[in-house]
Amino acid sequence: MSSIGTGYDLSVTTFSPDGRVFQIEYAAKAVDNSGTVIGIRCKDGIVMGVEKLIASKMMLPGSNRRIHSVNRHSGMAVAGLAADGRQIVARAKSEATNYQSVYGEPIPVKELAERVASYVHLCTLYWWLRPFGCGIILGGYDRDGPQLYMVEPSGISYRYFGAAIGKGKQAAKTEIEKLKLSEMTCREGVIEVAKIIYKVHDEAKDKAFELEMSWVCDESKQQHQKVPGDLLEEAKAAARTALEEMDAD
Amino acid sequence: MNFMASKQPENSLLGPESDSQRTLYPYVTGTSVVALKYKDGILMAADMGGSYGSTLRYKNVERMKAIGKHSLLGASGEISDFQEILRYLDELILYDNMWDDGNSLGPKEVHNYLTRVMYNRRNKFNPLWNSLVLGGIKNGQKYLGTVSMIGVNFEDNHVATGFGNHLARPILRQEWHENLSFEDGVRLLEKCMRVLLYRDRSAINKLQIAKITEEGMTISQPYSLKTYWEFSAFENPTQGAVGSW
């Protein structure tokens, strides 16, 4: 549903007559144009996956990380303008370190999500700042268990069982809803996320992509880290087989 | 907008900060740390005492801590400054971990970082009042170094702080050799710690020995050394002394 703002969309400090701030909606479009990012909450942790669209064959695989650790126990996957995302990650790291040095314990995921959301929202309040053009999926494991949050460019943040942003978000959300997350372990979750990303990847529009995944779970000792190499390969293989089976039908 | 700005007399030669911002003397201090390289890594020993001047006030102070995966830090001197150093290192190791790229800071890098911190603080006349011992092993390379509160740093096969330099190192110079076994290393450290216990008034008889190898760091439970006091000179020490009580 695209509508032209015509005059009410020149600044983030202007409301339109029907109560919308167009600049924020345009920022959300930047997110919708980037590769899909998925996060799911399994019974023992969080799994996040990113469909990294490769701009050039010259790029080294494993570079251009889209998932960043914010503290030992949490991480963020970013969709949208990558440079904007780096800024938000830097801020989140700083908030986490500050909380730890003041309160003596790792920042609860809920608190971190609130602070990130506040920061993103801040940049929608002044005419001399532009909104961040990225959506963030934040996953972490604290003493209340594993939690998954999503922050949009408007500064809204909600807690989710499963979330998807980017190009294939509608298709991805449908797939996630089919999964029984509360009975799944993270090991199984990794395979499922890989399958979904391979499935929603549009072969026609974008040629190559690299799959990047991370997890925080009991198996990783509640530390946020890249999914181990062998499990990642297993997931990719399972995803490719699932695709072939689908194509064969 | 500082309503409680510190007043300095006009003829003060101090910089912008007043004296109360600088460390002038230490309050709660730990005594010697002794460490040596052995076959599989580094062995380090320190007692668990925190002295408040001449009072042996705290008897459960852990003066050796693991730093990251590859290093072990022991400190003598002001305990609160040691805790502050641990906070700096915590942040350093955290940021190192967040890269998540398979690399990690080794003992040489941590030692260099500590040297920079200590030297820069000394240049501002606001030192962290510690003598640090940093040992570790990474990819088979053993490393053992020390930094003092004025930023003097070096590495060697065996190091000590404080009284350890005077009492323990001569023993180590005689008896240390390459590829000590774990048992021999511990025996050698205990020999040094026993001399320190007899002769250093701020030493207490409750020590820990920590080891760091490729597998990681382990620290022993606190234990005490056997001592011998039955020397004849200690029997009836005041006999023949005039005017003593």
Side-chain angles (χ1 to χ4, degrees):
Chain A
M1 187 194 77
S2 57
S3 42
I4 309 171
T6 328
Y8 300 112
D9 62 346
L10 296 173
S11 155
V12 81
T13 54
T14 311
F15 276 101
S16 76
D18 45 341
R20 294 152 68 175
V21 184
F22 280 102
Q23 278 294 312
I24 298 181
E25 296 187 17
Y26 295 162
K29 293 226 172 66
V31 181
D32 290 338
N33 286 338
S34 95
T36 318
V37 176
I38 299 178
I40 57 171
R41 198 204 84 169
C42 308
K43 71 174 177 201
D44 63 338
I46 308 277
V47 180
M48 293 191 281
V50 177
E51 171 204 13
K52 278 198 299 199
L53 299 167
I54 301 182
S56 143
K57 285 204 177 69
M58 296 290 200
M59 262 173 57
L60 202 67
S63 69
N64 199 19
R65 295 278 305 262
R66 295 274 293 280
I67 308 185
H68 304 92
S69 289
V70 170
N71 203 342
R72 286 202 173 86
H73 65 318
S74 52
M76 285 165 109
V78 177
L81 301 172
D84 284 11
R86 263 199 297 279
Q87 174 77 330
I88 299 185
V89 170
R91 178 72 184 214
K93 284 182 181 175
S94 151
E95 292 280 3
T97 323
N98 175 265
Y99 185 96
Q100 169 121 32
S101 89
V102 171
Y103 298 103
E105 67 153 7
I107 186 169
V109 191
K110 177 164 187 269
E111 183 67 32
L112 179 62
E114 259 174 47
R115 291 194 183 192
V116 171
S118 279
Y119 182 61
V120 171
H121 176 239
L122 188 77
C123 299
T124 65
L125 294 173
Y126 303 103
W127 62 265
W128 40 267
L129 273 180
R130 67 163 173 81
F132 282 107
C134 35
I136 291 146
I137 294 193
L138 208 168
Y141 201 136
D142 60 24
R143 51 184 157 146
D144 297 322
Q147 292 156 67
L148 182 72
Y149 289 86
M150 182 164 90
V151 184
E152 296 170 20
S154 55
I156 299 179
S157 140
Y158 287 123
R159 193 173 156 188
Y160 291 91
F161 298 112
I165 39 181
K167 277 198 172 87
K169 70 171 185 230
Q170 285 298 88
K173 276 193 211 155
T174 330
E175 291 300 316
I176 294 175
E177 280 165 22
K178 292 184 194 159
L179 302 170
K180 288 212 183 64
L181 291 171
S182 52
E183 295 160 10
M184 208 185 281
T185 64
C186 274
R187 248 183 190 257
E188 295 158 4
V190 167
I191 316 273
E192 292 305 324
V193 167
K195 282 191 194 156
I196 297 175
I197 291 193
Y198 269 74
K199 195 164 176 192
V200 306
H201 173 67
D202 192 338
E203 274 299 326
K205 292 218 195 101
D206 321 297
K207 297 291 150 48
F209 79 102
E210 193 193 330
L211 176 63
E212 186 182 327
M213 289 215 276
S214 78
W215 65 357
V216 203
C217 56
D218 292 331
E219 212 180 307
S220 76
K221 299 199 190 69
Q222 289 106 35
Q223 312 268 23
H224 179 258
Q225 51 181 226
K226 281 194 297 231
V227 167
D230 47 351
L231 182 57
L232 188 61
E233 287 310 312
E234 200 187 307
K236 284 185 188 170
R240 268 179 240 127
T241 350
L243 255 186
E244 280 159 30
E245 279 172 21
M246 243 183 45
D247 288 340
D249 290 338
Chain B
M1 245 162 307
N2 184 4
F3 299 107
M4 293 187 290
S6 45
K7 288 218 175 97
Q8 284 178 31
E10 274 170 29
N11 54 354
S12 166
L13 287 171
L14 295 171
E17 306 113 356
S18 64
D19 254 338
S20 62
Q21 310 263 40
R22 300 185 172 161
T23 307
L24 295 176
Y25 11 74
Y27 285 95
V28 179
T29 56
T31 184
S32 333
V33 178
V34 190
L36 47 79
K37 283 187 192 168
Y38 80 111
K39 184 162 58 90
D40 306 322
I42 309 289
L43 279 169
M44 198 185 290
D47 70 20
M48 299 196 75
S51 306
Y52 188 62
S54 54
T55 312
L56 299 176
R57 177 114 183 254
Y58 301 103
K59 304 216 179 137
N60 205 16
V61 181
E62 254 194 51
R63 296 194 289 118
M64 297 183 290
K65 291 284 180 188
I67 309 292
K69 286 196 292 219
H70 305 285
S71 318
L72 175 58
L73 175 67
S76 68
E78 174 61 60
I79 300 295
S80 62
D81 283 348
F82 175 52
Q83 289 171 344
E84 191 66 6
I85 289 172
L86 289 177
R87 294 228 310 210
Y88 288 153
L89 288 174
D90 218 24
E91 214 177 294
L92 185 73
I93 299 292
L94 178 67
Y95 275 87
D96 186 47
N97 279 348
M98 291 204 280
W99 285 107
D100 201 6
D101 61 356
N103 284 321
S104 47
L105 288 172
K108 194 170 203 286
E109 288 92 60
V110 178
H111 185 223
N112 197 301
Y113 174 81
L114 287 171
T115 308
R116 290 293 101 231
V117 169
M118 300 301 268
Y119 183 66
N120 277 301
R121 288 287 296 251
R122 165 258 200 187
N123 283 342
K124 293 192 275 197
F125 280 90
N126 186 15
L128 289 161
W129 207 286
N130 293 111
S131 283
L132 304 170
V133 172
L134 196 297
I137 177 168
K138 187 177 173 192
N139 296 336
Q141 292 270 55
K142 298 187 277 251
Y143 187 90
L144 182 59
T146 177
V147 198
S148 77
M149 74 187 229
I150 53 173
V152 176
N153 78 300
F154 55 89
E155 50 159 321
D156 206 342
N157 292 320
H158 47 82
V159 294
T161 66
F163 260 87
N165 274 311
H166 301 106
L167 299 174
R169 292 211 62 209
I171 302 176
L172 292 165
R173 277 181 211 123
Q174 285 274 66
E175 304 193 17
W176 184 90
H177 58 85
E178 285 274 8
N179 288 325
L180 279 163
S181 71
F182 174 69
E183 291 77 23
D184 283 342
V186 171
R187 206 171 304 132
L188 190 48
L189 275 181
E190 283 187 351
K191 187 170 183 181
C192 296
M193 295 303 281
R194 187 170 289 109
V195 174
L196 286 167
L197 178 61
Y198 284 134
R199 295 294 175 179
D200 179 3
R201 75 147 188 203
S202 21
I204 63 167
N205 196 3
K206 184 177 176 192
L207 74 144
Q208 289 176 304
I209 296 197
K211 88 165 165 22
I212 184 155
T213 59
E214 287 280 15
E215 283 84 52
M217 183 273 225
T218 51
I219 184 165
S220 71
Q221 287 293 356
Y223 68 103
S224 52
L225 297 167
K226 286 203 186 58
T227 54
Y228 181 74
W229 300 97
E230 308 311 312
F231 294 107
S232 59
F234 294 162
E235 280 169 38
N236 209 357
T238 57
Q239 180 184 56
V242 174
S244 53
W245 58 92

